[in-house]
Amino acid sequence: MEVIAVGTAAIDVVHEVAAYPAEDTKARSLATYKCRGGNAASALVVCSQLGGRCRWLSTSTDPEKDSDAAFIHADLAAFNVDCSLAVIEKEGSMPVSYILASRETGSRTIVHSRTIAELTCEAFAAQIERYLKEIREDVDAPVWFHFEGRNMETVRNMMLHIRENAPQAKISVEIEFPRYPWTLAKTLASLADYVFMSKDYLRDNIHILSAKDFFDGIQAQRWDEDWSEWVKAFICPWGAEGVHYLDMTTSTTHHIPTAQLDQVVESNGAGDSFIGATLAGLSRGDVPLHLVLKTACEVATVKCSQHGFKLPVDKLLRWKQDLHLSKAKAGISYSKDINQGCNNQIIFVTASSISPSHVVSSEVEQELERVQHATLPDTDVFIVPLLPAILEDNDGDIIVPRRQANKRRKSTRSEPAPARMSGVPREHANRATDTTFVLQARSRTTWDTAGTQLWRAAFLLAEYMYSTSETLFGQTVLELGCGIGFASIVASRLSRCVYATDSDKDALVLTRRNVEHNLHGDVRPRLLDWDDKSLISIAKDASAAQFDWISTDQAELENLTIIIASDVFYDDTLTLKFLRALRRLMLKYNRAKAYVTTERRSVFSAAAMQVVSLGYDTFQENICLHDPSTCHTYVTDNQVRCRTCIAGSSNQAGNDEDMLRFVVQEVQTSEIPQRFKYDRLSTLMLWKIDAVVVPIR
């Protein structure tokens, strides 16, 4: 879910000194530098690096007119933190903190200056309404709001506004600023799901010297506040001790120690880093709190050992894995792209299906030109060039371009019409010869969202469509599991209409963006869940949400003749779901045939004690291998009765999905011209699914 932090972004002017100077003395600055600061902004920068989707909401001067605002906005944008919700104020200046940092102790003293107006509840409500109605890409997705506990009366009203207008949202708040009394701060805490309590606030405002005493007071209802409606945990970072927290769902207290540093380089921002890492983990929705806080402690410790908020790459990768692998099954070591250039590499696994939370990365993206980070978190923009097609004349001979012998001689003959791609109808030639794709994709995901990456099988499918473009002309196409939409975009250039379907809304968002940034035909992103037996449910046009099926789709789907899919055979359970969904589609649309590309991956199963190909073996088990000339009788273009399959079935007269059999043929990939720069492994395959076996009626 997206994280919106409400709070300060400031300019920090840091002076490093050897040791704190005595009052009324002079000291030499060993280093002076300017950087972006502010609790909320710093937390977002860390959260974004760990995979969070982040937005900053506060007041700001106009970055086009104020250099300090421009500096802050540019720094946040560099970490993929969106600033479009900032409320632009015409008067005042951006907050500035003057920081005196002691190299002797690593501690700091801050003098803060602020002249810009505070964010009002009215301005906050207006921006939230704009976000919910105009900006949020997925209207059903929950949102995480994090509040600095400053200007508490206003913040409390903001939190109440969220509870009333976005009841599915999660809220966290930090109670840190000592100028606000506990009688007011506790009302904020009671409205939050997660409460970050500063040890200094507990000591100075409530006169509590340990987290245990505070937790005892909460559980004993010492402060006459109802914590039961919203609060899930109180979190108390405790400096070098680590973090203490009270899990309100289990009424248990916990302590996570932290590693001790030999030398503190910079403690400024350690608390913000801890909160940012916590938000990154909790906003995923499926990571245990203990693991999140353990990772957050490590992040804060590393922050104390360095200047700035740029997390070290080696540690960042491990932290992201920790936050993504929370539900991974023990003993599984598997990557969707295990070949790494070797066709027969074997990986050891202990289960026949992979945990949805297992982290995978697409090796093919290392072969592409990565041009920039995209606006969506954890996504990059890749340049995918289309290699020149082999051109033929009317007799089928290859046209070889030749240089003119004498460029100075002016030709008296008219130039011949440019040759077009073989097999592409003339009216589609312009759309089919675009030479570059610009694709936004993720480079690393969990297993259940692997479709938001780009895989080799999608290239093979695209190349096949280019090589047989005449079969797509004028056709309606549906892609199952479209992922980032690459194959659907290619198909749309060659066909009449393409339905790019997926059950992952994030994938459909990427599909829509990629469609917008590439030459395309009629592409319609739609939600389609393989588990849903109805598959396609037409919504009422008046109530149709984003990616819903609408009434006009029903008539268009009557013309469905081609179903495409790529890299859907990598897990036994998912493969069966795909095959059942494909069977239902082919039964409903009885002219449709399917084209599926896959990469066969070999693993060793400890359960089966043999080498298996997850997903692919399941597909092979559901192929009808009987002699068509003696066993098959076609009922429709894509439905066949097989005497042998029916004789061996326990449901000869039924119409259930126990008879999951398909008539297929393998297409030789060596006959498909390669049009993209990638390593076309021998384990890449393309299957044409001609028919589904049906029982006797």
Side-chain angles (χ1 to χ4, degrees):
M1 65 184 79
E2 285 198 322
V3 177
I4 299 177
V6 183
T8 305
I11 295 291
D12 284 354
V13 179
V14 182
H15 296 281
E16 293 185 12
V17 294
Y20 278 120
E23 187 176 352
D24 199 23
T25 61
K26 291 183 179 181
R28 180 180 295 276
S29 175
L30 302 179
T32 300
Y33 52 91
K34 171 184 173 182
C35 58
R36 189 264 325 128
N39 291 22
S42 297
L44 287 177
V45 162
V46 172
C47 180
S48 178
Q49 292 178 79
L50 290 167
R53 302 171 58 186
C54 301
R55 296 178 184 271
W56 173 59
L57 172 52
S58 187
T59 54
S60 170
T61 53
D62 190 341
E64 295 185 0
K65 299 178 181 179
D66 179 17
S67 60
D68 283 347
F71 181 86
I72 289 171
H73 283 238
D75 182 85
L76 291 174
F79 288 98
N80 288 325
V81 176
D82 184 276
C83 300
S84 62
L85 292 178
V87 177
I88 303 301
E89 296 286 346
K90 296 181 179 180
E91 298 181 356
S93 58
M94 295 302 292
V96 179
S97 293
Y98 299 92
I99 302 173
L100 197 63
S102 169
R103 288 189 178 180
E104 182 180 53
T105 62
S107 58
R108 77 280 188 270
T109 297
I110 302 174
V111 178
H112 187 68
S113 171
R114 181 187 182 97
T115 61
I116 194 171
E118 296 278 6
L119 181 67
T120 65
C121 190
E122 293 75 19
F124 171 82
Q127 293 299 78
I128 294 305
E129 182 179 10
R130 184 168 72 90
Y131 168 77
L132 294 176
K133 292 184 177 180
E134 301 175 14
I135 299 177
R136 183 169 56 162
E137 293 173 337
D138 184 352
V139 295
D140 298 322
V143 187
W144 191 292
F145 290 90
H146 176 72
F147 293 90
E148 286 182 12
R150 55 193 308 277
N151 197 16
M152 284 191 178
E153 295 89 346
T154 302
V155 168
R156 183 176 183 275
N157 290 331
M158 293 177 184
M159 295 171 72
L160 287 170
H161 180 83
I162 294 300
R163 289 301 183 201
E164 293 172 2
N165 294 277
Q168 300 301 318
K170 300 295 184 183
I171 296 178
S172 57
V173 65
E174 54 183 297
I175 308 297
E176 175 185 356
F177 299 95
R179 63 180 176 272
Y180 298 103
W182 176 236
T183 53
L184 177 58
K186 69 178 184 178
T187 64
L188 270 69
S190 67
L191 291 170
D193 295 278
Y194 293 88
V195 184
F196 296 92
M197 294 296 305
S198 159
K199 74 170 183 176
D200 292 338
Y201 186 92
L202 293 176
R203 180 191 61 202
D204 297 339
N205 287 52
I206 317 180
H207 310 295
I208 286 179
L209 302 180
S210 72
K212 180 181 182 303
D213 290 344
F214 175 64
F215 296 155
D216 288 345
I218 293 292
Q219 292 178 306
Q221 291 293 316
R222 173 179 167 185
W223 295 289
D224 299 323
E225 193 71 36
D226 182 11
W227 312 109
S228 61
E229 184 174 6
W230 299 109
V231 183
K232 296 177 178 61
F234 285 93
I235 302 168
C236 297
W238 217 264
E241 289 186 23
V243 62
H244 301 265
Y245 69 97
L246 167 61
D247 188 335
M248 296 291 285
T249 63
T250 60
S251 298
T252 56
T253 61
H254 306 268
H255 172 234
I256 301 174
T258 189
Q260 301 300 308
L261 291 174
D262 295 332
Q263 181 181 6
V264 175
V265 175
E266 182 183 72
S267 62
N268 185 41
D272 301 330
S273 298
F274 175 85
I275 290 176
T278 303
L279 296 178
L282 293 179
S283 64
R284 286 184 52 80
D286 59 357
V287 188
L289 179 59
H290 194 83
L291 176 59
V292 170
L293 296 181
K294 179 178 179 294
T295 303
C297 281
E298 294 179 10
V299 172
T301 300
V302 169
K303 171 63 190 78
C304 290
S305 67
Q306 66 175 41
H307 291 291
F309 290 89
K310 179 70 173 178
L311 301 179
V313 175
D314 56 336
K315 292 182 173 62
L316 182 62
L317 183 61
R318 179 173 61 81
W319 290 330
K320 292 176 76 171
Q321 286 180 330
D322 289 344
L323 294 179
H324 289 181
L325 283 170
S326 60
K327 290 186 177 180
K329 295 180 181 178
I332 292 180
S333 176
Y334 187 87
S335 168
K336 190 176 181 185
D337 207 357
I338 65 172
N339 294 282
Q340 300 178 357
C342 301
N343 297 334
N344 298 311
Q345 182 175 353
I346 296 177
I347 302 296
F348 184 86
V349 298
T350 58
S352 61
S353 295
I354 305 302
S355 166
S357 298
H358 197 87
V359 175
V360 293
S361 58
S362 171
E363 186 180 280
V364 71
E365 291 177 351
Q366 300 175 14
E367 304 167 5
L368 304 175
E369 180 185 356
R370 189 191 314 251
V371 293
Q372 66 184 61
H373 291 292
T375 54
L376 290 178
D378 282 345
T379 59
D380 295 293
V381 175
F382 298 91
I383 297 297
V384 181
L386 179 65
L387 301 179
I390 297 176
L391 303 179
E392 300 175 356
D393 61 19
N394 293 332
D395 296 326
D397 296 324
I398 295 176
I399 298 175
V400 180
R402 302 180 185 277
R403 291 189 303 173
Q404 289 181 333
N406 187 351
K407 292 185 178 180
R408 294 182 180 179
R409 181 185 303 172
K410 185 176 181 180
S411 175
T412 58
R413 295 181 297 176
S414 60
E415 293 293 327
R420 55 190 177 90
M421 289 177 59
S422 174
V424 180
R426 186 175 301 278
E427 57 269 35
H428 278 56
N430 289 337
R431 287 197 293 170
T433 56
D434 186 36
T435 58
T436 302
F437 292 87
V438 180
L439 298 174
Q440 189 171 332
R442 291 194 167 96
S443 300
R444 188 177 182 83
T445 66
T446 50
W447 190 262
D448 55 338
T449 58
T452 55
Q453 299 186 51
L454 186 59
W455 302 95
R456 288 191 181 99
F459 284 123
L460 180 61
L461 179 59
E463 289 167 337
Y464 179 72
M465 290 189 289
Y466 273 124
S467 68
T468 59
S469 55
E470 66 280 355
T471 63
L472 279 82
F473 176 58
Q475 304 300 309
T476 298
V477 180
L478 184 146
E479 182 175 12
L480 286 170
C482 66
I484 67 168
F486 173 51
S488 287
I489 293 170
V490 172
S492 75
R493 298 181 179 186
L494 308 169
S495 65
R496 183 176 69 180
C497 171
V498 178
Y499 286 95
T501 72
D502 208 295
S503 62
D504 183 359
K505 287 187 178 180
D506 286 342
L508 293 177
V509 169
L510 280 171
T511 292
R512 187 183 62 190
R513 291 198 172 196
N514 286 328
V515 168
E516 292 171 353
H517 291 104
N518 287 277
L519 187 65
H520 63 87
D522 185 357
V523 182
R524 306 179 187 184
R526 295 289 187 268
L527 279 169
L528 191 150
D529 188 346
W530 299 345
D531 280 329
D532 185 354
K533 288 193 175 182
S534 63
L535 286 180
I536 298 171
S537 300
I538 305 297
K540 294 181 179 179
D541 289 351
S543 61
Q546 188 181 36
F547 306 132
D548 277 354
W549 298 87
I550 57 178
S551 57
T552 55
D553 294 332
Q554 202 161 15
E556 184 64 49
L557 286 170
E558 293 301 322
N559 301 313
L560 179 64
T561 55
I562 296 175
I563 300 170
I564 59 175
S566 65
D567 225 338
V568 290
F569 302 150
Y570 55 86
D571 174 88
D572 292 338
T573 302
L574 285 176
T575 298
L576 285 173
K577 290 180 179 180
F578 168 81
L579 293 176
R580 291 188 181 111
L582 178 62
R583 182 181 189 273
R584 290 194 289 270
L585 284 173
M586 294 181 72
L587 289 176
K588 185 172 184 178
Y589 305 106
N590 56 27
R591 292 185 296 144
K593 298 181 184 294
Y595 300 85
V596 181
T597 54
T598 189
E599 183 175 342
R600 182 177 182 178
R601 302 172 176 92
S602 298
V603 299
F604 183 83
S605 169
M609 291 304 294
Q610 63 181 1
V611 175
V612 298
S613 297
L614 298 182
Y616 178 82
D617 289 347
T618 300
F619 168 61
Q620 292 292 306
E621 291 169 0
N622 290 280
I623 291 177
C624 173
L625 300 175
H626 303 123
D627 185 359
S629 62
T630 58
C631 298
H632 290 178
T633 302
Y634 272 84
V635 180
T636 66
D637 287 349
N638 69 355
Q639 297 171 28
V640 65
R641 292 196 182 102
C642 175
R643 296 177 183 176
T644 308
C645 287
I646 292 173
S649 172
S650 60
N651 293 281
Q652 297 183 26
N655 191 27
D656 57 18
E657 294 186 350
D658 289 341
M659 186 178 292
L660 198 60
R661 290 289 185 273
F662 297 89
V663 177
V664 308
Q665 55 179 308
E666 184 177 0
V667 178
Q668 296 302 313
T669 58
S670 59
E671 299 176 0
I672 304 172
Q674 185 160 350
R675 301 292 306 278
F676 298 98
K677 293 182 179 180
Y678 70 105
D679 189 5
R680 188 190 278 186
L681 304 175
S682 61
T683 49
L684 282 170
M685 301 178 178
L686 190 151
W687 296 86
K688 180 184 178 185
I689 302 179
D690 288 310
V692 58
V693 177
V694 296
I696 299 173
R697 291 182 174 84

